[in-house]
Amino acid sequence: AAHGRIESTTEPMLGTEDLSGEALTALGAVMDKQFSAKLSEDTNRAIQGIKANGFVYNGNAPWGFEIVGPKYGKTLQATELCRTYAPRIFQRCIDGDSLRTIAAWLTSNGVRTKQDHYVEIGPLRQWNEGTVRWIIRSRIYAEKPYEVIRPTVFDRANDALKNRGKRGPVSANRPMLAKLRCA
């Protein structure tokens, strides 16, 4: 918009206004696009190969798991904390505990959250309902080779969560259900 000029130290003809400069700029753009597409293709192929061999390709492990193994051969491994508390989390859900009470129970027992493993100073973080819900809905806790809980326990906990009535006070008089408009 300012009608400025683009100059490149590595490609001196880039952006020049004569015919050869325009041709080299266009050719460079085509070559760069092809290089980018090939790099993306190669990266995706490598990631799919790592996944196909059952390895972890990114550094994000779910709560209670750690990433172990050599580069390009990393796998997930359930920690002792996970093997101790995950079955209890699922069982409490089956028994009718709310996500909030399960979160409070984990916090009161001093169970470390996923973020607590990255921060070694300060107080432990409180568990929240969303994190507990995520754990209960994550099939990885019931999958082989980890199988921290049995698949039937996973299904029962998720059924209990799905079929549970709404919690909290219920009022017969619900004044805010109608649309409100300002005059």
Side-chain angles (χ1 to χ4, degrees):
H3 302 289
R5 203 173 77 197
I6 299 173
E7 294 184 9
S8 171
T9 57
T10 57
E11 298 177 28
M13 296 297 289
L14 177 74
T16 57
E17 295 181 11
D18 60 353
L19 183 61
S20 61
E22 288 180 11
L24 286 174
T25 300
L27 181 63
V30 169
M31 290 172 52
D32 288 344
K33 184 176 180 186
Q34 288 176 345
F35 173 78
S36 179
K38 172 121 175 58
L39 181 63
S40 177
E41 200 176 283
D42 291 346
T43 302
N44 285 335
R45 190 178 313 112
I47 288 171
Q48 294 307 318
I50 290 169
K51 281 179 160 181
N53 291 325
F55 299 124
V56 178
Y57 75 95
N58 68 8
N60 195 8
W63 174 84
F65 285 87
E66 61 187 357
I67 299 174
V68 295
K71 187 174 184 180
Y72 303 117
K74 295 191 179 300
T75 58
L76 290 175
Q77 181 178 8
T79 63
E80 199 56 43
L81 185 70
C82 179
R83 294 200 178 280
T84 301
Y85 282 96
R88 294 179 187 175
I89 291 170
F90 282 86
Q91 190 58 52
R92 282 178 168 264
C93 180
I94 292 168
D95 292 343
D97 281 11
S98 69
L99 298 174
R100 181 175 292 173
T101 58
I102 295 171
W105 169 74
L106 289 165
T107 301
S108 70
N109 280 318
V111 178
R112 299 175 72 80
T113 65
K114 185 176 174 183
Q115 288 80 15
D116 285 327
H117 288 284
Y118 303 115
V119 180
E120 295 186 15
I121 57 172
L124 295 178
R125 297 171 195 248
Q126 288 194 349
W127 282 79
N128 63 56
E129 297 170 49
T131 304
V132 175
R133 180 184 299 109
W134 187 92
I135 290 171
I136 293 171
R137 289 187 175 166
S138 296
R139 189 167 286 282
I140 191 165
Y141 295 95
E143 287 180 346
K144 291 185 178 186
Y146 321 113
E147 206 167 314
V148 177
I149 59 163
R150 296 203 173 281
T152 54
V153 172
F154 175 83
D155 293 337
R156 286 176 47 215
N158 276 276
D159 286 345
L161 194 60
K162 185 171 61 173
N163 297 325
R164 175 172 298 166
K166 297 292 180 195
R167 307 267 173 142
V170 177
S171 171
N173 182 11
R174 298 180 185 180
M176 298 303 286
L177 289 180
K179 289 184 180 178
L180 298 178
R181 283 200 179 169
C182 181

